[in-house]
Structures are given as structure tokens and as C-alpha cells.
Amino acid sequence: MKLYLDPGHGGSDAGAQGKGINEKTLNLDIALRIRTILTQDYKGVRVRMSRSDDRTKSLRERTNEANGWGADFYLSIHCNAFNGAARGYEDFIYSSLSDRSDTAAHQRAIHKEVMKTNELPDRGLKKANFHVLRETAMPALLTENGFIDNPADARKMANPAWRQAVARGHVNGLAKAFKLKLAASNQALCKVIAGGFHSKENASTRVELLKSHGISAFITKTSIAGKPWYRVQAGAYSNRKNARTHLDTVRAAGINDAYITGRGQGV
């Protein structure tokens, strides 16, 4: 499965703004988390991003790149803004598509899984004539992950743990929509991950912080888009309930971006 992952806006285009937050930054953070989970936890998935840093890129460049690459699915990550009072999550497919189309089926799968994780009001499954939905040769979805100018939504957006949960919701939806298979190394165990870093030094600092709280941890190295990535693993469990208990312990130590990978046993 080839996913073209598009963090909306970037560079000179900040997107929506509110409560001291720029949409372009949030979009990129969530998208990078989606890429990390997909490439590390699933097999047979290739991810290309419209941008992996803060750069300006036109809508036409994005869709042309996705079409030329022959992507199987186009996922565009956004956040909303309106009047400071509106809040919640919504997603869009192209306006002319039937509710019986494959794209609509993908939308339903992803919408359902994101709503399980984002703790936001459900604004529904919608359709629109957006460029990235109209000019893509493959099924495409645009998600709007809360309202950046709403105080309640913005508080969630500022929390790395919330952004990780939203990324996980997107991945769970993609896994359902495209019947993705977990990598063999992630099928049996639930791993508690206490952060991922481009810098090994930052990963080492995280390990020392965990050790100061009596939590054992070590660094695992992988490569994403040709660049090194250092993950801090703080435990592995065959039972998911035990993994969740340890995750709570890690988060109580101030590690808000900790999360669980793998299925394990139980719920």
C-alpha cells in the first residue's frame, strides 16, 4: 500500500492560527507521527510525504507528486478555525463521489477509528470540492482535527499525547480500510514507547529521565525516509492491560508523548 501523506500548509502558509498555535506545525507533527507508526509497526506500507519539514509547497505540486508516484491513497492532515466557538472533528471526500464508492468506505473506516481516540465532538463525514480531493487520481481524504481557535480544542492540540492518539486513530483507520498487516515483530507484544527522536542524544536524555523515576528503558534505532530515528522503549508485554498500566506509570513521570505499539492479548 502506497500512502501519500500531506501535512497541510507549510512555509509561508501558516494555515489557521489561534491560541498561539500555527496549523502548519500541528499538521506536520500529526503527520510525522502517522508515518512513524505505519512504517515501524506495519509491513507492506510505503509512505511519501508532501513535506517533512516547514516548507512552502503548492497544492498542484502536492497532487502532481502523488499522481506521478502512483499512490494508492492520499491523506491530507489539517486543523480548523472559525469563530472561536466551533469545535470538533470532521473529514471530507470529493463532492461528486457516491456514498457507495471505495473512497466513501475508506472515509467511514478512518472516521470511526479517529473518533475513538480524539476526544472531540463529531461533526460528521462530509464532502467538498477541495483541490487535493478533486485533482488526485487515487481515493483521497482530508481530515480536520479540531478547531485551533477554540480554547477546549486548542488545549488538546497542545498536548503531545493527544497528537499521538490522533495519529494512532488515523493509522488504525488506514489499517482497517486497507487490511494492513502488522510487522511480525509487533504482532505478539505490546511495547510501551516513551518517545521518538531524530537525535540519539535526545533519546539518551529521555532514557536517563525515565531511569531517574525507576523506569528501565533502552533505545532502538530505525530508518524513516532514509533518516535515522531513535525510539525509547520502556517495556514490552504480551497482555495489553499490563502495557496500559505501565503506560500510565510512564506518563505519570511526565512523558506525555508515550504510547503503545502492537496488539498483545486482551483489550
Side-chain angles (χ1 to χ4, degrees):
M1 183 268 208
K2 296 169 67 176
L3 173 69
Y4 190 87
L5 184 55
D6 175 29
H9 307 286
S12 61
D13 177 11
Q17 296 175 292
K19 309 303 177 185
I21 306 172
N22 287 330
E23 181 192 356
K24 66 175 183 178
T25 305
L26 281 171
N27 297 343
L28 180 59
D29 184 84
I30 293 171
L32 288 170
R33 293 171 186 272
I34 290 172
R35 183 180 70 177
T36 296
I37 299 170
L38 279 172
T39 56
Q40 293 188 352
D41 290 0
Y42 289 87
K43 59 184 179 181
V45 181
R46 296 170 61 190
V47 180
R48 178 172 292 188
M49 295 184 67
S50 61
R51 62 184 184 94
S52 56
D53 54 20
D54 186 20
R55 68 178 62 191
T56 303
K57 196 166 189 176
S58 71
L59 295 177
R60 184 179 296 277
E61 286 176 311
R62 298 172 198 236
T63 53
N64 284 350
E65 189 171 81
N67 292 339
W69 185 46
D72 297 310
F73 192 65
Y74 188 109
L75 177 60
S76 191
I77 306 298
H78 286 259
C79 300
N80 242 325
F82 183 51
N83 60 2
R87 63 183 305 240
Y89 170 84
E90 59 194 6
D91 46 44
F92 296 84
I93 61 174
Y94 183 46
S95 53
S96 69
L97 290 171
S98 164
D99 291 341
R100 295 184 297 276
S101 66
D102 288 343
T103 305
H106 298 332
Q107 179 185 29
R108 288 190 294 271
I110 294 170
H111 186 100
K112 181 178 179 180
E113 294 301 320
V114 174
M115 287 307 306
K116 290 179 181 179
T117 64
N118 66 10
E119 301 177 338
L120 294 175
D122 189 348
R123 296 174 61 86
L125 298 87
K126 301 182 178 182
K127 299 179 182 180
N129 187 28
F130 298 146
H131 175 96
V132 298
L133 305 178
R134 183 184 65 247
E135 301 300 328
T136 40
M138 69 294 301
L141 179 72
L142 184 147
T143 66
E144 293 277 8
N145 296 277
F147 283 75
I148 203 167
D149 58 347
N150 177 276
D153 283 10
R155 279 194 296 272
K156 294 183 182 297
M157 292 172 174
N159 186 345
W162 180 85
R163 300 195 297 272
Q164 184 68 30
V166 168
R168 171 57 69 178
H170 281 76
V171 171
N172 290 348
L174 288 164
K176 293 286 181 62
F178 292 93
K179 298 179 173 57
L180 302 180
K181 302 297 183 182
L182 282 169
S185 60
N186 288 297
Q187 289 176 352
L189 293 176
C190 288
K191 300 176 182 178
V192 178
I193 305 301
F197 305 88
H198 291 300
S199 163
K200 188 175 182 179
E201 181 179 354
N202 290 341
S204 297
T205 299
R206 177 62 55 86
V207 168
E208 292 304 314
L209 173 60
L210 288 163
K211 287 182 177 178
S212 72
H213 288 273
I215 301 170
S216 298
F218 61 91
I219 299 170
T220 63
K221 181 182 178 182
T222 188
S223 178
I224 299 176
K227 297 181 179 179
W229 184 262
Y230 301 93
R231 250 186 359 176
V232 177
Q233 184 173 321
Y237 301 84
S238 60
N239 184 285
R240 192 168 185 85
K241 182 178 180 180
N242 293 339
R244 286 179 173 173
T245 298
H246 191 58
L247 177 65
D248 290 340
T249 300
V250 171
R251 287 179 174 171
I255 312 301
N256 293 324
D257 55 344
Y259 59 96
I260 294 173
T261 66
R263 289 178 179 172
Q265 302 172 2
V267 296

